[in-house]
Amino acid sequence: MTSASVRNDLRIELAELRAANLYKPERPLASPQSPRVTIDGTEVLNFCANNYLGLADHPAVIDAAKQALDDQGFGMASVRFICGTQHLHTNLESRLSTFLGTEATILYSSCFDANVGVFATLLDERDAVLSDHLNHASIIDGIRLSKARRHRYRDLTDLETQLASTRTARRRLVVTDGVFSMEGSIAPLREICALADRYDAMVMVDDSHAVGITGPTGAGTPELLGVQDRVDIVTGTLGKALGGASGGYVSGHAEIVDLLRQRSRPYLFSNALPPVIAAGALTALDLATDPARREALHQNTATFRAQMTRAGFHVLPGEHPIVPVMFGDAGEAVRIADRMLRSGVYVTAFSYPVVPMGKARIRVQLSSEHSRDDLDQCVEAFLAARYD
Ligand SMILES: *Cc1c(COP(=O)(O)O)cnc(C)c1O
């Protein structure tokens, strides 16, 4: 009977989510991830993937993955330190270190796991973490698993106050997303690093939405803002610009990476990345170093942002290919996204609890592989849905 009553409670909770337009449905794609995808038998333009460089279905990435499948097998059936390490893993780790300009890199099954592994390994009750209030859920959960004192900062003034009030801590770590995923805004890393210098704190950046696309060589926000040498720890995902499959990493000082290999639980107690994915990611990384893709992405971003602003939409300012189009009301954002899908343009509405209550938005994400016609069609679909 207990189980029946729990199930009843859960049904009520789900009904409440639906009533508040907060229920998130899933739409199966019948095609590879690409600027054009097939949903319910219809081809639509896709503006909601993290496929910034169009590598998720790139033939060279697929070929590399197929080759690895033949040569290296399907899975490792082991964690890394028992018998789950191939040269593909160590090659990918050293390639990432070179790309990011760091001493060493350790792979995880996801960036979520990377963030869950890092805090508890480096910090205990003698230490303090200072975390931006907009940070990704995986950072929040990772911090929760450590015994460090937790502080959430809202802005730089707040951060400085908290740095001043945690002087007695043994270690202090300031952690921020490089790019905030719901805002498309870039963290003020220069200012954060200057404060960290003044108060002798470490700096960690989760660059999942920036790696491969931001900065002169695509090395991310620390490169963009000229603080690569000051940032102690960078985490990131292989599940966005870098091929979009899965996998994540922690990169930084050799001692940190070494200790994570010995102590961090999602690394020690979870399977090694499949060879297919390591091989695909290596090729994705090669392709990501071609500046032409990044330039096409930034051109598309600038064009789309200008078009939408001219069309009278409220777009959060910035230069990132995440373009939040603000509606406020969750019902309105969902209604517009639904109408746009019917007219062949796939975008996603985000509402509470992913963004604050009353700040619902449609988050458009551009790819280097969208054409000018694709962008025009997206803007027209926004206009048609708004005035429908
Ligand atoms: C997407 C994202 C993650 C999660 O990455 P996975 O590899 O999919 O687990 C973590 N942090 C940030 C900031 C992200 O945007």
Side-chain angles (χ1 to χ4, degrees):
M1 273 336 276
T2 316
S3 138
S5 80
V6 171
R7 289 183 66 176
N8 197 47
D9 288 350
L10 300 183
R11 265 184 235 118
I12 292 168
E13 195 175 334
L14 286 163
E16 284 167 357
L17 286 177
R18 285 198 179 84
N21 280 314
L22 302 177
Y23 187 87
K24 291 172 268 309
E26 294 178 3
R27 295 193 175 91
L29 308 186
S31 63
Q33 185 61 273
S34 157
R36 286 166 195 279
V37 294
T38 306
I39 298 174
D40 294 333
T42 309
E43 190 181 87
V44 297
L45 275 172
N46 184 7
F47 283 94
C48 46
N50 300 309
N51 189 18
Y52 297 119
L53 300 176
L55 301 180
D57 68 336
H58 191 284
V61 175
I62 295 169
D63 281 349
K66 281 181 178 161
Q67 194 63 52
L69 189 57
D70 286 344
D71 296 348
Q72 307 294 128
F74 176 61
M76 293 313 299
S78 172
V79 298
R80 287 283 299 276
F81 81 93
I82 301 180
C83 53
T85 298
Q86 290 177 331
H87 287 298
L88 279 173
H89 298 101
T90 53
N91 288 350
L92 179 54
E93 285 170 340
S94 56
R95 278 284 282 116
L96 280 165
S97 303
T98 307
F99 183 67
L100 299 169
T102 53
E103 285 177 13
T105 301
I106 173 174
L107 290 171
Y108 286 81
S109 299
S110 66
C111 187
F112 204 111
D113 274 358
N115 286 334
V116 162
V118 79
F119 300 96
T121 305
L122 299 178
L123 309 173
D124 65 25
E125 53 284 337
R126 291 167 290 181
D127 307 315
V129 189
L130 302 95
S131 171
D132 191 290
H133 73 297
L134 292 177
N135 278 347
H136 191 263
S138 54
I139 295 178
I140 295 166
D141 286 9
I143 292 172
R144 277 188 192 142
L145 287 172
S146 81
K147 295 199 170 72
R149 278 175 282 152
R150 300 160 209 166
H151 302 267
R152 245 165 55 117
Y153 64 87
R154 299 195 68 81
D155 54 32
L156 291 165
T157 314
D158 212 12
L159 174 59
E160 176 149 25
T161 308
Q162 293 172 11
L163 282 166
S165 71
T166 52
R167 282 181 198 273
T168 56
R170 178 189 60 161
R171 297 175 185 160
R172 288 178 295 171
L173 176 61
V174 182
V175 56
T176 181
D177 284 10
V179 171
F180 296 100
S181 57
M182 287 298 139
E183 321 291 310
S185 60
I186 289 168
L189 292 186
R190 266 190 222 121
E191 293 79 359
I192 289 173
C193 287
L195 282 173
D197 276 345
R198 199 170 323 146
Y199 290 91
D200 192 24
M202 296 188 289
V203 177
M204 167 173 159
V205 178
D206 176 348
D207 230 11
S208 288
H209 274 289
V211 65
I213 63 171
T214 304
T217 71
T221 52
E223 185 192 32
L224 177 76
L225 298 173
V227 292
Q228 259 175 317
D229 292 340
R230 178 56 183 85
V231 170
D232 298 276
I233 303 168
V234 190
T235 65
T237 185
L238 306 174
K240 292 183 171 120
L242 299 179
S246 66
Y249 57 83
V250 178
S251 199
H253 307 306
E255 301 79 8
I256 290 178
V257 168
D258 229 10
L259 192 66
L260 289 169
R261 286 193 204 281
Q262 303 308 312
R263 290 269 168 79
S264 98
R265 293 163 70 83
Y267 184 79
L268 288 171
F269 298 102
S270 190
N271 235 22
L273 212 59
V276 178
I277 291 181
L282 271 166
T283 300
L285 209 45
D286 286 340
L287 293 166
T289 55
D290 173 6
R293 280 177 191 276
R294 270 197 310 284
E295 277 156 26
L297 175 66
H298 296 314
Q299 190 57 56
N300 277 348
T301 301
T303 304
F304 181 77
R305 282 178 171 276
Q307 280 178 303
M308 285 295 283
T309 305
R310 224 178 301 123
F313 288 94
H314 176 203
V315 168
L316 291 187
E319 283 161 17
H320 193 272
I322 288 174
V323 185
V325 185
M326 305 302 285
F327 293 97
D329 177 59
E332 169 83 343
V334 168
R335 187 185 65 82
I336 292 203
D338 282 347
R339 285 189 189 178
M340 287 177 67
L341 185 59
R342 268 181 265 131
S343 67
V345 175
Y346 190 14
V347 292
T348 305
F350 289 89
S351 53
Y352 182 81
V354 181
V355 296
M357 196 68 90
K359 298 218 165 148
R361 66 200 65 183
I362 288 175
R363 181 178 72 171
V364 175
Q365 288 176 282
L366 298 152
S367 166
S368 58
E369 305 313 291
H370 284 124
S371 69
R372 283 298 293 268
D373 275 355
D374 296 343
L375 304 187
D376 291 346
Q377 211 176 309
C378 183
V379 177
E380 276 157 28
F382 264 107
L383 282 167
R386 165 168 256 183
Y387 297 114
D388 191 9

